[in-house]
Amino acid sequence: MASGKEIRTQIGSIKNTQKITSAMEMVAASKMRKAQDRMAATRPYADKIYNVIQHLAFAHPEYKHPYLQDREETKRVGYIIVSSDRGLCGGLNNNLFKTVLKDIKAKSDAGLEVDVCAIGQKASTFLKRLPVNLVSQKVQLGDAPQVHDLIGTVKVMLDAYNEGQIDSLYFVYNEFVNTMTQENKIVRLLPAKPEKPSEELSHHWDYIYEPDAKDVLDDLLVRYIESLVYQGVVENIACEQASRMIAMKNASDNAGDLIDDLQLVYNKARQAAITQEISEIVAGAAAV
Amino acid sequence: MAMTIHVDIVSAENQIFSGLAQAVFASAVMGEVGIYPRHTPMLTRLKPGEVRVLKENGEEEQYYVSGGMLEVQPHVITVLADTALRAADVDEAAALQAKADAEKAIKDGSAKRDFAEAQKELAEAMAQLRAIERLRSSSKGR
């Protein structure tokens, strides 16, 4: 049986760990609230631009943008995969990677080549060792990323699509359902398929475009994709913090349990030592 | 009472203005535009500059946008503002940077593994997490 001093040191070190994990839990909780606010703040833009795209898809007959049209055959697909930069957030990243791995494997078994783009350190580390092409990445985004942090990475994939190197583009991230639940999402960004608009828009009409349809549409669709990616990234941050909060809460609870157990062992050891001492004294006294 | 139309000004990071207005003035790429209710549907790019909203009560509000898009629909005017100055060469530089980062990451990475191996590694990591969970629930049951 371990001696009393050893157990006391062990309890002390677990207590220290518990302090750290419970501090991390509180930090994650406050960061999660901020991330949720940011998530809500990005929603109006995403909704508005989606409406415009929806209007567009049914508005005008003469110019069809390549982003809105299906390609005849698909030889190569692209993925944009979002992860957290740091670990200690439970199974969040692993779950996402598992889902995306299955998807990529199915694609590559079907003879398609796969280009990937990583957002976040964990995704980069994971993807660079897979037999796929890592074509662009963005890491260390921090807790409050801006849209222009993502422009470059997204542009690489959009350019690849424009040049015909990839024929469709998927976006993988975690959707924030609530603090306890995060859902892995794989959505197709390109070609984009807006849903049917409401009745009032179905008659024949068109916009006035300034300077011209192609220019305006190019700009608009690029912004649309960027806003989707941005929203996904912000949502993923909220997920990361929520997941970390839960993981750290579990860790603190586990540390508490361990301390209780060790305390019991310590008390027993102490009692045993006292008993032994008494019996030695008694035996000693009897001998005299 | 003047006619009004609903106006939304949003940027990717937050909502800037939402409400009724008598007119909206903005600097579009082809010149300053003033949009009043019943304008025909229009879609235009904006230059960096100010967007002015003539509100229902006659007050005017000004916002600065660093570019973006303006959409006019029969019932709503939407301004999608950019948060940063966009220029082809700046975007291009950012794209090149992202590519270079990826190449660098691949270079100093360890050897490639195949899908099955990756799957195994993930499964192991998940199993560890699950084991911790189980440990927790069994200790609770005690």
Side-chain angles (χ1 to χ4, degrees), chain A residues 211-276:
Chain A
D212 60 71
K214 190 179 171 304
D215 267 20
V216 173
L217 284 183
D218 276 354
D219 266 27
L220 190 72
L221 285 162
V222 168
R223 277 172 181 69
Y224 173 60
I225 303 293
E226 279 169 6
S227 93
L228 286 179
V229 173
Y230 177 69
Q231 222 197 353
V233 168
V234 172
E235 206 149 317
N236 200 70
I237 289 174
C239 291
E240 177 195 345
Q241 301 300 352
S243 183
R244 177 166 301 135
M245 191 178 89
I246 304 291
M248 289 302 119
K249 187 176 164 23
N250 283 339
S252 308
D253 291 354
N254 281 344
D257 290 352
L258 269 179
I259 291 172
D260 288 351
D261 288 354
L262 283 173
Q263 193 69 52
L264 212 63
V265 175
Y266 173 72
N267 290 346
K268 271 185 191 156
R270 197 177 68 109
Q271 193 58 55
I274 293 169
T275 314
Q276 197 185 352

Side-chain angles (χ1 to χ4, degrees), chain A residues 45 146-148 151 219 223 226, chain B residues 9-14 16 26-29 44-52 62-70 79-88 90-91:
Chain A
Y45 187 87
Q146 312 261 300
V147 182
H148 63 85
I151 288 174
D219 266 27
R223 277 172 181 69
E226 279 169 6
Chain B
I9 304 179
V10 290
S11 80
E13 280 145 27
N14 51 27
I16 298 169
S27 43
V29 277
T44 179
R45 213 155 46 177
L46 296 179
K47 283 194 298 195
E50 59 176 14
V51 173
R52 284 178 295 137
Q62 295 188 348
Y63 303 96
Y64 177 80
V65 297
S66 46
M69 311 291 280
L70 174 85
V79 178
L80 303 164
D82 286 347
T83 45
L85 213 53
R86 301 294 294 264
V90 177
D91 289 6

Side-chain angles (χ1 to χ4, degrees), chain B residues 65-113:
Chain B
V65 297
S66 46
M69 311 291 280
L70 174 85
E71 190 215 18
V72 183
Q73 277 284 326
H75 49 279
V76 62
I77 298 173
T78 312
V79 178
L80 303 164
D82 286 347
T83 45
L85 213 53
R86 301 294 294 264
D89 49 343
V90 177
D91 289 6
E92 192 62 48
L96 287 177
Q97 183 62 44
K99 270 189 194 170
D101 284 352
E103 275 159 24
K104 206 169 141 236
I106 293 168
K107 254 191 212 137
D108 54 37
S110 34
K112 293 244 176 198
R113 61 204 159 157

